[in-house]
Amino acid sequence: MAKQVAMGAMMKCSFGAAPSALAVLPANKVLAEGPPAANIMDHVPMVNILPFGACKSLANPAVKAATIAAKGVLTPMPCTPVTPAPWTPGAATVTIANVPALDDVSSCMCQWGGTISFTSAGTVKTMIP
């Protein structure tokens, strides 16, 4: 069963070098085991989704330029997430602020080709049916 995602949930990016924690603003006034609960609209880069260390995607212009400068040797550069679309699929039966709640089986795509997923939901007991 999926778990509700809350502030502090740990994420990974398929092109990132390090994990990152989800930041959830308390605007929706819903808590999950203490911290603010997330919905699928909590995907804003540098607000909700913070960098994942170094990026290894050649679709990222900074990585591509550094790799070209290094004569074709892949050269990771600092991660700058670009997530234009919400998390998918989200919870089918639970909403927060009239938007599907975010569960730990959802993922988000970065414009540079990475898939962002959860390694920890930030909750233990709150299950979503």
Side-chain angles (χ1 to χ4, degrees):
M1 210 174 235
K3 294 180 184 146
Q4 171 65 47
V5 170
M7 170 87 154
M10 294 307 293
M11 306 174 291
K12 66 177 181 175
C13 175
S14 58
F15 283 116
S20 182
L22 181 72
V24 180
L25 303 177
N28 295 328
K29 300 179 180 146
V30 175
L31 304 178
E33 298 176 25
N39 68 28
I40 64 167
M41 297 308 291
D42 291 318
H43 69 94
V44 180
M46 308 310 267
V47 173
N48 305 117
I49 299 177
L50 303 174
F52 295 92
C55 179
K56 298 178 274 186
S57 172
L58 286 173
N60 181 331
V63 175
K64 184 176 182 179
T67 300
I68 290 170
K71 300 187 187 312
V73 176
L74 179 63
T75 306
M77 294 300 290
C79 169
T80 304
V82 180
T83 52
W87 294 91
T88 59
T93 59
V94 179
T95 61
I96 296 174
N98 295 319
V99 176
L102 182 57
D103 56 27
D104 64 343
V105 296
S106 296
S107 63
C108 190
M109 295 300 297
C110 178
Q111 182 172 315
W112 310 132
T115 300
I116 300 168
S117 58
F118 291 100
T119 58
S120 167
T123 60
V124 178
K125 299 179 230 168
T126 310
M127 304 294 216
I128 297 179

